[in-house]
Amino acid sequence: MSRMETSRTLSAFPKIISVDDHTVEPPDVWRDRLPKKYQDTGPRIVRAPLKEMTFLGGKFAPVMGGPGDDGPLGDWWVYEDLHRPLTRLDTAVGYSRDEIKLEVITYEQMRPGSYDVPRRLADMDVNHVQSALCFPTFPRFCGQTFTEAKDRELGLLGVRAYNDWMVEEWCGPDAHGRLIPLTLVPLWDARLAAAEVRRNAARGVRAVAFSEIPPHLGLPSVHTDDWDPFLAACDETGTVIAMHIGSSSRMPSTSADAPPAVGSTITFANCCFSMVDWLMSGKFERFPNLRVMYAEGQIGWIPYILERADVVWEENRGWGGVADKVHRPPSELFAGHVFGCFFDDAFGLRNLDAIGIGNVLYETDYPHSDSTWPKSREVGEAQMGHLEAEVVERIVRGNAIELLGLTDDGLWAGPGGAR
């Protein structure tokens, strides 16, 4: 391709709607929203030294030091007995790959776009991104932090406080409709979860975070009826269930001493297991408007799993426990209900016909270490250069507009959104 052709192609690349970015919550999210009696137990930031930290076998284990202890200073979220530091892996954009290490940091040591709305929009402009859906940091990808807490009353208040901040501030007027809300639910109670889905849907929210494998959190599986109140609420309100890799608090790994590189290579595995769960659960037939998406799971693995699931359903459903609840081939259910998300998957794009043009969404993963920022446009063009312009348009923004109920211009139109 000539330099002139490359320039012309890049200038025509659609403005990106990223369905997987992240926010680092400012220090005052819970401090400003919880009752006074919870000021000393609710989530708050403390600056303290790090004593030690390991990340092996998919398990992250930091130890916070006290006054007089040596060690690098970092900002820590403290909540009940939890001490969780901000780390360079939470917000790595602006640093070279070789500089990105597992280390504690302060807010002053991160790119301001990680937590500040105007700075985020500026960084989106640099990256050819129009709109972005953001997953949490301190609550973890689907609110596991509150699910694991001892005080359920405080946990519910924490979930609601986060959602209020997400809708009213992060996606508020200063965002001009460019930040798309993703809310949490109290995972320990499906009826409370359903109520929270409906509360947020009433103010224009169309996406909720959920765990890819709930039993890893000590919760029921999707094969039970326990989640039905929550699923019914999502079905009725058109709320998409968004599952991020790691939203079961257990990243794939092979052994307790496997280095992080092993888990990083096979991060898609939980998404794979989860998708088979959903396809064989019968939930898509019971809740026909239900939609699920897998953030950061990539897409290249999907064709084989669909092929295998169809074979199992066709040949083994009689003894496989699904004949009475899964009445169509899993690949047909996938086409109507499941969306794969990617930011760097040339193999998947070469096999797009086996996945489905309408089942693929684009992401940039800002501000994580895997992020393609500030080159998401160039990365997308390099991988999608063989596709027709209409196909690229659907992948980069059209599918997200339809799935998330955005305006034709790709903006969120809820309270404080697009004007």
Side-chain angles (χ1 to χ4, degrees), residues 13-150:
F13 194 75
K15 274 297 193 75
I16 297 165
I17 298 178
S18 174
V19 296
D20 172 30
D21 284 2
H22 301 265
T23 177
V24 176
E25 300 80 17
D28 60 358
V29 169
W30 291 275
R31 184 186 63 202
D32 290 354
R33 290 171 179 80
L34 292 177
K36 288 185 178 180
K37 69 176 182 176
Y38 289 122
Q39 292 298 308
D40 294 333
T41 53
R44 59 206 182 277
I45 284 290
V46 173
R47 185 159 294 183
L50 172 72
K51 289 187 68 174
E52 60 180 283
M53 180 162 56
T54 59
F55 186 21
L56 290 173
K59 294 183 178 180
F60 176 46
V63 178
M64 186 176 82
D69 286 334
D70 293 329
L73 283 178
D75 284 334
W76 297 68
W77 282 106
V78 177
Y79 171 41
E80 293 189 338
D81 297 330
L82 175 67
H83 298 156
R84 197 281 193 194
L86 297 176
T87 76
R88 179 57 63 209
L89 300 188
D90 292 328
T91 170
V93 292
Y95 289 79
S96 72
R97 299 293 183 186
D98 291 338
E99 291 178 305
I100 301 171
K101 301 175 183 178
L102 182 59
E103 58 183 352
V104 297
I105 60 171
T106 65
Y107 280 92
E108 290 80 8
Q109 293 172 305
M110 69 177 73
R111 192 170 182 86
S114 303
Y115 59 87
D116 179 80
V117 171
R119 299 288 190 92
R120 172 60 66 92
L121 299 185
D123 279 354
M124 289 163 63
D125 289 338
V126 168
N127 202 30
H128 199 66
V129 173
Q130 179 190 30
S131 307
L133 181 85
C134 297
F135 284 82
T137 296
F138 167 70
R140 312 219 296 280
F141 294 137
C142 67
Q144 301 103 296
T145 297
F146 297 112
T147 302
E148 295 166 359
K150 299 173 184 176

Side-chain angles (χ1 to χ4, degrees), residues 23 26 28-30 32-33 115-118 121 161-177 179 181 203 412 415-417:
T23 177
D28 60 358
V29 169
W30 291 275
D32 290 354
R33 290 171 179 80
Y115 59 87
D116 179 80
V117 171
L121 299 185
Y162 176 86
N163 292 340
D164 290 345
W165 169 80
M166 168 62 61
V167 173
E168 297 166 7
E169 291 196 32
W170 185 251
C171 301
D174 289 347
H176 307 292
L179 295 173
R203 46 185 179 173
W412 181 57

